[in-house]
Amino acid sequence: MTHHIKEIVGSIIFTTVAGLILWPPRGNYWAKIFDKFGGGTILTIALFLLSIILGAVFGRATDIQLSNYIIGGIGAYVIGMVGIEIGIDPISPVHFIWYGGLLACLIGGVAASSYI
């Protein structure tokens, strides 16, 4: 049981840090990149591919059980969304979609890591 808890807590930490790096709630560097290169479709795809790769690297490095990662990832998502709602008071709910997409890609990467 302790092993599962360690994996879940590790997943919460990894997912939170990955989310903050990939899409910081403030000072969003991706918006600046989108503005510089015009349009965001390719850059958004690159961001999601990077998320998949990060998830795969984490999954491969830790040999984590997918179910434990999903529990921890959802925990990190909930903590992050509550933090954004309380700390930033966003003007739209788009962060729920973006971070949900990042989480889905991270989970996909962890799932794929067992096949790499």
Side-chain angles (χ1 to χ4, degrees), residues 26-67:
R26 295 185 197 245
N28 189 340
Y29 63 87
W30 285 102
K32 294 175 186 170
I33 293 172
F34 289 172
D35 291 343
K36 182 172 183 162
F37 291 101
T41 304
I42 297 209
L43 294 171
T44 301
I45 292 169
L47 175 66
F48 286 132
L49 286 175
L50 180 58
S51 300
I52 293 168
I53 291 167
L54 283 175
V57 169
F58 178 76
R60 187 79 163 158
T62 61
D63 198 30
I64 191 168
Q65 288 184 1
L66 181 60
S67 60

Side-chain angles (χ1 to χ4, degrees), residues 76-87 90 93 95-97 99-100:
Y77 177 82
V78 169
I79 292 166
M81 296 307 96
V82 168
I84 288 173
E85 287 294 316
I86 292 171
H95 57 285
F96 290 108
I97 297 167
Y99 286 105

